[in-house]
Amino acid sequence: MNRSGMVIVLSGFSGAGKGTIMKHLLSDYPGKYHLSVSATTRGKRQGEEDGREYFFKTKEEFEDMIRNHELLEYASFNQNYYGTPKAYVDRLLSEGKDVILEIEVQGALQIKKIFPQALLLFVTPPDGATLKERLEGRGTEEAEVVLQRLAIASRESLLMEQYDYIIVNDDLDRAVHSVHHLIQAEHERAMRNTDFINKIQNELSVFSKGENE
């Protein structure tokens, strides 16, 4: 049975570990998943490369992409733009590949409107205290920025029910396995296999009146 490519959205609070889960998913299951690289206007962090973590754009370049309808979705987060380039996603889907979009809540809900059958997964730590500890433990941001991220997380939590599944990241290996298992199980849902169902129905229709019994 041939599988169609599927859009998977992976969101979560800043500091919940969605990026780490994504990296392990790609390395643990090579060739199964393809990450859609987002465009952003935020500054490049140490060790990041253009075209790998993000396509780093100026505000003017990003707004040109908006005007030219080159983005599937975009959002403003912490005073920076983030968006998903359309052409790359469309190409992978046409090749029957699963595409994972690691994006924020605003963008995820936009994607759901464009791809109603997209699978939406939300990553969270087991509790709020753990999230605060993880953000502070990164040591890459001032205390004021950490508080801003926690305030954003509070607002994002109000939209968690819009997602299909919640991934509690209290054990990394288990969280990675859960994401993989959910994606593979989703492929078997009847609504995603209508062509196969129709094929079987047509092949068996000859027996509907007892022919060849």
Side-chain angles (χ1 to χ4, degrees):
M1 181 170 61
N2 293 326
R3 287 182 168 183
S4 299
M6 184 165 64
V7 173
I8 302 112
V9 175
L10 190 67
S11 301
F13 306 124
S14 178
K18 60 184 181 295
T20 304
I21 289 174
M22 185 70 247
K23 289 177 182 177
H24 279 264
L25 196 67
L26 293 174
S27 63
D28 292 354
Y29 305 98
K32 274 199 170 293
Y33 304 114
H34 301 268
L35 177 63
S36 172
V37 180
S38 297
T40 185
T41 58
R42 81 152 170 79
K44 188 187 301 183
R45 294 174 183 165
Q46 185 175 1
E48 292 183 333
E49 294 182 11
D50 185 56
R52 188 180 66 185
E53 282 78 15
Y54 288 97
F55 295 113
F56 293 97
K57 304 291 184 181
T58 65
K59 182 180 179 182
E60 292 73 21
E61 289 173 334
F62 197 101
E63 290 176 344
D64 282 342
M65 294 179 75
I66 295 173
R67 281 191 292 270
N68 295 330
H69 305 288
E70 297 174 16
L71 298 168
L72 282 173
E73 57 78 31
Y74 68 92
S76 177
F77 180 77
N78 207 24
Q79 300 183 336
N80 284 302
Y81 281 128
Y82 294 81
T84 302
K86 183 176 184 294
Y88 181 67
V89 173
D90 285 345
R91 179 174 65 79
L92 289 174
L93 289 176
S94 70
E95 295 171 357
K97 296 176 180 177
D98 287 344
V99 187
I100 301 181
L101 281 58
E102 185 190 328
I103 56 179
E104 306 302 328
V105 173
Q106 290 171 284
L109 299 183
Q110 292 179 43
I111 289 294
K112 191 67 172 179
K113 292 179 180 178
I114 300 170
F115 299 104
Q117 292 190 358
L119 177 64
L120 270 57
L121 308 175
F122 192 94
V123 179
T124 177
D127 52 60
T130 301
L131 180 63
K132 185 172 183 291
E133 289 173 7
R134 289 181 185 177
L135 286 171
E136 292 173 340
R138 292 197 301 197
T140 58
E141 295 162 336
E142 300 292 334
E144 182 181 350
V145 176
V146 170
L147 290 176
Q148 289 174 354
R149 291 192 179 279
L150 288 170
I152 291 169
S154 177
R155 294 193 294 272
E156 289 177 333
S157 71
L158 302 178
L159 296 171
M160 290 172 69
E161 293 177 359
Q162 302 289 326
Y163 283 71
D164 297 305
Y165 296 97
I166 303 300
I167 308 297
V168 178
N169 184 19
D170 55 353
D171 178 275
L172 179 59
D173 288 340
R174 184 164 60 237
V176 172
H177 176 76
S178 293
V179 171
H180 173 68
H181 173 76
L182 287 170
I183 294 171
Q184 296 309 306
E186 189 70 14
H187 270 293
E188 310 307 326
R189 292 186 65 180
M191 73 173 189
R192 297 187 186 276
N193 292 283
T194 53
D195 288 345
F196 178 75
I197 291 170
N198 289 335
K199 173 180 175 292
I200 292 293
Q201 289 173 339
N202 289 334
E203 290 174 352
L204 296 177
S205 64
V206 66
F207 304 112
S208 64
K209 295 181 181 179
E211 289 93 343
N212 300 327
E213 290 185 353

